[in-house]
Every structure is written in structure tokens, then in C-alpha cells.
């Protein structure tokens, strides 16, 4: 099995593979001791906790047509950011799973800010 860094470079490190095998799985995401793992199609990517500056939940509301009328479904995502930009958005199975992932990230990597960044005020021309 190969694991891929976020830049697409493949790794076959025995220690990294052992951590992946022992990691806690929540949906397509796995929480290891030093790394966060997630699947995208047939590839498994990893991000070291030391590279993560911020993580937060992003919820999308999707319209749904069901047998008894129209409704909405909420899709939970975990957004991972480094110091400058978003580096990953990982879909999670539900609200309970998303809250559990955020809690676990706080325990495993206390340096990670677990809040969405404040919205920037629009710049005005003088």
C-alpha cells in the first residue's frame, strides 16, 4: 500500500503504514498518533498534525426530493488549513462523527485552532 503526501508524492514508510493500520477510523478519515489520513478515490493521503494550523466543520445544505415531498440534507465536512490556505475538505458521515473528529483533533494535536477564521471585512477604496 502507498500513502501519498498532499503534494502527490508517494511514501512506503513502514512506520507510516503501521500508524495508518492502527489509526482510528471515522468514515473516510483516520486519526493516527502523528498524522491524519483520508481517502480520495483509490488513494490515501496523509497530513502530519504539525502541518495543520486550523480545522473546522463546514456544513452544506443540499436540497433533496424524497417520496413525501421536498426537504434538505446536511453534508458535514472537515476543513483542514495550513498557515496560508485550505489544504483539504473531507466529507464525514454525519454531525456526530464531525463533532467527534474535532474533539479528537483537539486531544491529539492541541496546537490546532478548531474554529473557522473570522471573515475579513471588505476593503473599501478611498
Amino acid at each position: 500500500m502507498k500513502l501519498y503526501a498532499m503534494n502527490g508524492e508517494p511514501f512506503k514508510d513502514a512506520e507510516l503504514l503501521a500508524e495508518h493500520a492502527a489509526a482510528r477510523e471515522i468514515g473516510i478519515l483516520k486519526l493516527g498518533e502523528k498524522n491524519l489520513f483520508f481517502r480520495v478515490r483509490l488513494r490515501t493521503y496523509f497530513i502530519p498534525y504539525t502541518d495543520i494550523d486550523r480545522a473546522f466543520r463546514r456544513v452544506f445544505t443540499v436540497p433533496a426530493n424524497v417520496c413525501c415531498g421536498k426537504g434538505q440534507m446536511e453534508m458535514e465536512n472537515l476543513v483542514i488549513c495550513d498557515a496560508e490556505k485550505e489544504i483539504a475538505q473531507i466529507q464525514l458521515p454525519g454531525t456526530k462523527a464531525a463533532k467527534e473528529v474535532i474533539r479528537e483533533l483537539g486531544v491529539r494535536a492541541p496546537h490546532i485552532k478548531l474554529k473557522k477564521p473570522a471573515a475579513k471585512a471588505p476593503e473599501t477604496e478611498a
Side-chain angles (χ1 to χ4, degrees), residues 3 13 25 27 34 38 40 51-52 58 65 67 70-71 74 76 80-81 86 108:
L3 298 172
D13 181 31
E25 187 170 3
K34 299 177 186 174
F38 63 97
V40 177
D51 292 353
I52 301 172
R58 180 176 286 157
N65 292 326
C67 63
K70 294 184 178 185
E74 290 186 345
E76 293 276 346
I80 304 292
C81 304
E86 289 183 11
R108 293 173 191 254

Side-chain angles (χ1 to χ4, degrees), residues 6-75:
M6 288 305 295
N7 63 6
E9 184 180 332
F11 282 83
K12 267 196 140 176
D13 181 31
E15 185 178 322
L16 196 59
L17 290 170
E19 181 182 353
H20 177 264
R24 179 170 180 213
E25 187 170 3
I26 301 174
I28 63 169
L29 179 109
K30 282 189 167 191
L31 296 161
E33 290 299 316
K34 299 177 186 174
N35 297 287
L36 176 81
F37 303 92
F38 63 97
R39 292 187 317 266
V40 177
R41 296 182 189 90
L42 299 175
R43 287 188 172 191
T44 301
Y45 291 90
F46 71 94
I47 305 171
Y49 292 138
T50 55
D51 292 353
I52 301 172
D53 185 56
R54 182 179 302 277
F56 58 92
R57 291 172 45 211
R58 180 176 286 157
V59 182
F60 291 110
T61 304
V62 180
N65 292 326
V66 291
C67 63
C68 55
K70 294 184 178 185
Q72 294 181 343
M73 292 181 4
E74 290 186 345
M75 298 189 63

